[in-house]
Amino acid sequence: MNKVILCITAILLALSANSQTARSFSSTDYCTINWSNNFGAVRDQDFTKAVITTDNNIVSTGYAEHPTNTYPSGTHTPITYLVKTTIDGNLLWERYYESIEAYPMGIIETDDGGLLLMILKQLGYGYDTTFLLKTDSYGELQWMQKYNYILYDILPFDGGYFLAGSTAESHITADLIDFVLLKIDSVGNLINTSIFGTDSREYFSNSKRTPDGDFIYFGSHNSGMYDYDYIVFKVSEEGNIKWLNFYGGSDLENAREIVVNEDGSYLLAGMANSKDSLINNYGGSDIWIVKSDSTGVIHWQRNYGGSNSDMYPSICTSSNGYIVACSTASSDYNLTQNHGGYDGWIFEIDNEGNLLWEKSIGGTEDDLLFSILPIDSVNYIVAGRSNSADGDLPGNYGSYDGWLASIKIDYNVRVKDISGNTQERITVYPNPATDIIKVSNAPIASIYSIYNMTGKCELSGIFAGIIDIYTLAPGLYCLNINGSVEKIAKFVKH
């Protein structure tokens, strides 16, 4: 495949331009914000993906509206936006790549310290072309290749890369959309193409390598006019299907990310709108997570969120299980706070899907998170977009800014009661629960009290191993056990 040369201008801005120091925080919460910073100019920016580089800095990419180019209708042209910051969130450099209708979908660091950027480009009625950009460590363009597919993920191997995505999309035809796996060499030349799918449309979301060397593909399957389900393929490098499974209800389920565990099992994260089959939707779209074994058989599934929209989950492993970063307009059920509009929402679940803690971050305007990645076992980077200039944000350059924040999970912090006394931790399960709850590490014959989030006691009694919560209204509650040592824990009633 010949290299494609386009007219792309990379603008390196001075460090002082649109640069500010990341805002620092201090707290004793279970999840604390180390720092929060926003980046951009007067028009829209966002960060959809980020990577920790080998020099212990952060490179984030997303789209930005071009400050001058417009269509006749007056809409602003999106261009690729690339930012490098220190691990503390302070700007090192930023670049804008001027190419019309370009949306960055993936980024990795290469062995030489450079970057590979996957950029989705609109050429007509649908998204049907992807450009792969190779830059040096300062974002200077070195080469670029064009592929007539919708590609999202870059998966390295010794000597080249696999590119994962879908076949081209057209809004004016009824052509099927299948999954595609490209194998390329180290400079982007095509080696092999594999295409696979069903007799319907599959919209690609995420792909990973499996422990046995195959690929797991995660996307959304068009099951009807307004019905989309999760679909998972396990395929070989040659595109031979090992197995496929569908998950969902009668409404829209939208796939986002997949985690491959060391034992070969999978965690599927996305959004669900259904209120039947497996899913007990709280309202709007919920975050829906499915744990399956290595053959796709469901181990457990849970939905998380509130009565408004909860969207765009990104997920990674943690010391207790998994951490999710997403966006929410809710303030009930699994959530205890909303700062205004959409917030970034971060929560941790254990290996059985039990909600351990949750935290909303943002300001009084719309602030959304799209990505999370670990720095180490307790520190994480979250990336998205922000329109706020208050709350957890240090300011705003105008409209939406690219938003980065660092969070820390303190596994040594114990739950505290309202008087500030440190408590021994207990565990409530199942969580969420419907009829009864069980409590680990709670003395038999102790007194329990269950409070709603306003502090009103809804239930109390003598603990005998299980607690009947059938009469509680759906929502988030706090259980207090008064034994030899006071113990408290939160749980969700469906």
Side-chain angles (χ1 to χ4, degrees), residues 89-100:
N90 297 314
L91 180 66
L92 294 175
W93 51 256
E94 58 185 349
R95 289 185 180 269
Y96 296 87
Y97 300 87
E98 299 180 10
S99 57
I100 296 174

Side-chain angles (χ1 to χ4, degrees), residues 116-133:
L116 271 182
L117 291 167
M118 191 91 83
I119 300 177
L120 186 60
K121 189 176 179 68
Q122 185 175 14
L123 295 175
Y125 291 94
Y127 296 101
D128 48 18
T129 303
T130 300
F131 292 97
L132 186 67
L133 275 64

Side-chain angles (χ1 to χ4, degrees), residues 11 41-45 64-70 76-79 96 98:
I11 305 170
V42 295
R43 303 200 186 280
D44 282 355
Q45 283 82 210
E65 287 189 348
H66 194 288
T68 57
N69 289 351
T70 61
H76 297 283
T77 304
I79 58 177
Y96 296 87
E98 299 180 10

Side-chain angles (χ1 to χ4, degrees), residues 303-338:
N303 56 297
Y304 308 87
S307 57
N308 290 319
S309 294
D310 314 295
M311 305 181 296
Y312 313 131
S314 177
I315 190 166
C316 64
T317 57
S318 69
S319 296
N320 281 338
Y322 308 90
I323 291 184
V324 179
C326 58
S327 307
T328 182
S330 300
S331 60
D332 52 8
Y333 290 96
N334 294 153
L335 293 101
T336 56
Q337 184 181 17
N338 181 274

